[in-house]
Amino acid sequence: MRRILKRPGEREFAPSATALYLPIVRVLPLDQIFLTANAVLGAPPAESPVEKNIRVNGLLKMLVGSDQGDIGPEYRIDDHWSTKNPALGVSKSYPSFAKSGAIKPIIGRYEGITDTGAVRVSAIPNNDRSTDRTLEGIDTVIFATGYTPWPPLRRVLAPEILQKMGVTPETVNPHANLFLSRLHKQVMYPELGRTIGFVGMQMRPLWALNEIEGRWLAGMFAGKVDWPTDEEVADYRKGIDHLMSIGKVKDALLLSSQGGYLEVIADTARILGIDPFTAALSASHSPKSFVSAHYPPFGTVEPREDTAKALRYLSLGIVNGSVSPEFVSKAVFSELQGKWKLTRSLTSKLPGYPEGEFEGLAEFHPRVRTFTAVNMGEGQWKAEPAKASYLSIGRDVPEYLYSEEGGLTTKSGQVFHGKRKYIYHNSGDASQITAWFVKTDGNSVDNFFHHLDFTKAPEKLGTPGVEGDGGWKAAGEHLCAEDWYWPAYRFVFCGARLEKFWIRYRVLGPSKDYISEAMYVRA
């Protein structure tokens, strides 16, 4: 699952046994960030769908770390789009590919395909980033039409029932929203009577939502919970504006969210007379993630052992997992992709070795896995033939070819042009980041250079970058021929984005005794 960075909430956490350095951000699964009791009980309810959308988009900007304008103007959530219900896409690598130009977005609506195979796109009204255009040279068109429940329903429901729903068995592909827009609160179809209901038909079919929908239907079928009145159904179907006009703000907010996960749970819990969010809010950890184990027991008053176990796992995952090297290394590695402005200072204790300032441009270029890094123990790694690998947008990037080029200005005023390459490798399930030298062909892996160990704190040398406050830090050591290298890193995030980082090397050998520290800022 996609992981995202978040600043600590009400309390700080003691580092776990595997995390010696406490950063200012933590790494958690996406659902533990969004799906919290605080989101339901921690703020006064919005007064309108527009206000709610502004709040949600503001939260997303904070978590992402920007308004997405850094990716490209087409992605920026400006004042206009901040009032709209956000459409989310979750991907580890898409933003970097889009920013690099490998993905070229076009804002518009699909109109059709011409006789020559071109795609016609029409502008979106009131959007200055959208124009009518025709796209030539199209290889493939993918229609991302989303989820539709039609195929299984056509097989299990009688023709007379389907007719009441507005379709027939001969209907080939009804619109995905045909059922969702008519289902009252995602669960019932009043035209079909009170003997049938639907669970898991909403836009976000998650287990906690499925469970409470099942409880609601079971209660209505058993006669313990009232069915919604015809008036309630009619008001709901007349839409958001009508609900607002008659003062049903909560229903308007629910409808405007298109069946949002927490919104539906809160509304259904109110109908059932239960309060699972207060239980979630009482947790000692932060964020106070909501899971179905927070529901009170159903059908029995006996304590449930599996419930207590689930909540213990949740607590351990938030407290310890959020600062684990496994989570951190993945978050760091996925954010390295792209171009960076580089400045490096060189300071030597030996005469004759160049000192000065290097300025240039560096790039972490993503590529398929070209080898497999094997940990031999005692700080040694070796490269073996690559296992099957591929590079796909949205999945983990397994490897980068790092390159830098620029000029070194020495203290005496001389200028030297230089370039170098390394390979940064993510070791799959081990979640280890390793750096390797590159052969003279400029592409293939050579000898092992060093490993980023996020359980090690950099030694104190008085350098301002690596030893600055905040951020994730990593260190290592490696003997290269006769020279010892002590690498150290610091990674600083803004929201989920890597904003800048530093790399420092202390090198000691028969003819070397120097320190270099480089700062990288997004180009």
Side-chain angles (χ1 to χ4, degrees), residues 30 58 155 162 173 283 298 325 365 377 497 518-519:
L30 188 64
R155 290 194 297 268
L162 294 174
N173 187 28
F298 178 63
H365 181 75
R497 302 280 178 81
M519 181 177 71

Side-chain angles (χ1 to χ4, degrees), residues 168-188:
T168 67
E170 291 72 32
T171 304
V172 177
N173 187 28
H175 193 277
N177 284 333
L178 174 66
F179 303 104
L180 299 179
S181 63
R182 300 289 290 174
L183 280 174
H184 181 66
K185 294 192 175 180
Q186 317 295 323
V187 169
M188 65 201 70

Side-chain angles (χ1 to χ4, degrees), residues 105-107 119-123 129-135:
I106 294 172
I107 298 178
V119 174
R120 290 185 292 106
V121 178
S122 65
R129 290 175 278 173
S130 180
T131 59
D132 293 339
R133 59 193 304 177
T134 301
L135 308 178

Side-chain angles (χ1 to χ4, degrees), residues 21 36 41 93 235 371 453 504 518:
Y21 175 76
T36 68
L41 302 179
S93 57
D235 285 339
F371 66 98
D453 187 344
R504 184 189 70 193

Side-chain angles (χ1 to χ4, degrees), residues 40-41 52 183-188 208-209 212-213 215-216 220 225-226 228 232 236 243 248-255 257 259-277 290 295:
V40 177
L41 302 179
K52 178 185 173 183
L183 280 174
H184 181 66
K185 294 192 175 180
Q186 317 295 323
V187 169
M188 65 201 70
L209 190 51
I212 201 165
E213 287 180 344
R215 291 192 184 196
W216 187 18
M220 287 188 290
V225 179
D226 292 335
E232 289 173 335
Y236 201 83
L243 290 170
K248 292 187 175 182
V249 178
K250 287 185 178 180
D251 282 336
L253 295 174
L254 181 66
L255 189 57
S257 68
Y261 178 74
L262 293 179
E263 291 91 339
V264 173
I265 290 177
D267 182 68
T268 310
R270 176 185 56 79
I271 295 172
L272 295 177
I274 62 176
D275 180 14
F277 293 106
F290 173 80
Y295 289 140

Side-chain angles (χ1 to χ4, degrees), residues 110-121 135 138 140-141 143:
Y110 169 82
E111 288 294 327
I113 300 176
T114 68
D115 293 340
T116 61
V119 174
R120 290 185 292 106
V121 178
L135 308 178
I138 301 297
T140 305
V141 176
F143 292 97

Side-chain angles (χ1 to χ4, degrees), residues 10-11 277-289 294 314-315:
E10 290 79 12
R11 58 179 289 238
F277 293 106
T278 297
L281 200 63
S282 66
S284 59
H285 53 257
S286 180
K288 302 181 186 301
S289 306
H294 287 113
L314 174 64
S315 177

Side-chain angles (χ1 to χ4, degrees), residues 335-342 360-364 498-501 520-523:
E335 282 292 306
L336 290 173
Q337 182 176 338
K339 296 181 179 180
W340 301 82
K341 294 178 182 178
L342 162 65
L361 188 67
E363 181 175 10
F364 287 82
L498 180 59
E499 187 177 58
K500 63 177 69 173
F501 66 97
Y520 295 77
V521 179
R522 285 283 181 192

